[in-house]
Amino acid sequence: KAGVTQTPRYLIKTRGQQVTLSCSPISGHRSVSWYQQTPGQGLQFLFEYFSETQRNKGNFPGRFSGRQFSNSRSEMNVSTLELGDSALYLCASSYSAGANVLTFGAGSRLTVL
Amino acid sequence: AQSVTQPDIHITVSEGASLELRCNYSYGATPYLFWYVQSPGQGLQLLLKYFSGDTLVQGIKGFEAEFKRSQSSFNLRKPSVHWSDAAEYFCAVASPSWGKLQFGAGTQVVVTP
């Protein structure tokens, strides 16, 4: 079956712009989590959604937001981009909420100029 | 607060030699424990997990890990390394109830001929 699909894979934005990243989970998976990966901070948890509800949120400013649709697809949005938002954004899905086995997508590489 | 420490940032190993990656965690109870691997430009792939039971866990690609409660460790091992094992390895912990993984900083493994 298809894995976790993230789009776009690469994108370049300028400071002050906003960006929306998309994640399609594995079919049947209802939980989607997002992580930010940077060389300096490593892998950091952004948020987790289950059945269209945000269950958990990491320590990120309000510029970072997300949502989940009824088909379990998820989007995350970053507004007023800063240089420090340059990162690999990873989406992961699992069948249920909580600490389960996560299957990660290949990520969306965001570069902010 | 829970935390994960991977003491080795970088390890170089000869092909065919054994490999051990260290992971120590700080958590109030026994967490769920994971090892993930990331190849360049890719997302994270789960190697193995520990939830409970037998403290020696077998994973994919010939990897195994041992949970030692007394040492708060979950070290990853492979008896004979292949060139394709060159990648970055991440240890992660999670509370059983929350879908948030706390990752270590990662260990970069280089395999020499």
Side-chain angles (χ1 to χ4, degrees), chain B residues 14-31:
Chain B
S14 299
E15 192 168 14
S18 64
L19 174 68
E20 181 167 14
L21 303 182
R22 297 181 291 165
C23 173
N24 293 97
Y25 67 90
S26 173
Y27 190 69
T30 299

Side-chain angles (χ1 to χ4, degrees), chain A:
Chain A
K1 57 183 176 182
V4 178
T5 304
Q6 292 189 243
T7 56
R9 287 293 313 278
Y10 302 91
L11 66 166
I12 300 173
K13 294 286 187 178
T14 57
R15 280 179 297 175
Q17 288 186 311
Q18 73 164 8
V19 66
T20 299
L21 308 178
S22 179
C23 173
S24 294
I26 290 174
S27 177
H29 283 193
R30 296 167 60 195
S31 175
V32 173
S33 301
W34 289 89
Y35 289 80
Q36 181 197 62
Q37 186 177 24
T38 60
Q41 299 299 315
L43 282 153
Q44 294 184 287
F45 172 78
L46 281 158
F47 14 69
E48 180 199 10
Y49 287 89
F50 180 78
S51 293
E52 302 178 66
T53 300
Q54 187 180 86
R55 288 190 76 244
N56 206 351
K57 188 177 190 304
N59 188 26
F60 279 83
R63 300 186 297 107
F64 291 80
S65 62
R67 58 178 175 169
Q68 186 180 33
F69 302 95
S70 58
N71 61 358
S72 295
R73 191 177 69 85
S74 177
E75 290 181 346
M76 67 162 284
N77 183 276
V78 187
S79 62
T80 318
L81 284 167
E82 301 176 358
L83 295 178
D85 297 332
S86 294
L88 180 66
Y89 290 88
L90 293 165
C91 168
S93 74
S94 62
Y95 179 74
S96 58
N100 290 283
V101 174
L102 298 183
T103 302
F104 283 83
S108 292
R109 172 75 64 184
L110 170 65
T111 301
V112 182
L113 303 176

Side-chain angles (χ1 to χ4, degrees), chain B residues 36-54:
Chain B
Y36 282 87
V37 61
Q38 186 177 36
S39 299
Q42 299 298 313
L44 299 167
Q45 181 183 24
L46 179 69
L47 287 175
L48 45 78
K49 64 186 184 297
Y50 175 79
F51 286 179
S52 66
D54 192 346

Side-chain angles (χ1 to χ4, degrees), chain B residues 80-101:
Chain B
S80 178
V81 168
H82 187 261
W83 63 266
S84 59
D85 293 323
E88 190 157 22
Y89 293 79
F90 294 92
C91 179
V93 302
S95 158
S97 60
W98 291 104
K100 167 187 172 181
L101 291 181

Side-chain angles (χ1 to χ4, degrees), chain B residues 6-7 10 28 36 39 56 62 68 72 74 86 101:
Chain B
Q6 293 182 246
H10 186 275
Y36 282 87
S39 299
L56 186 62
K68 293 186 176 180
S72 297
F74 189 56
L101 291 181

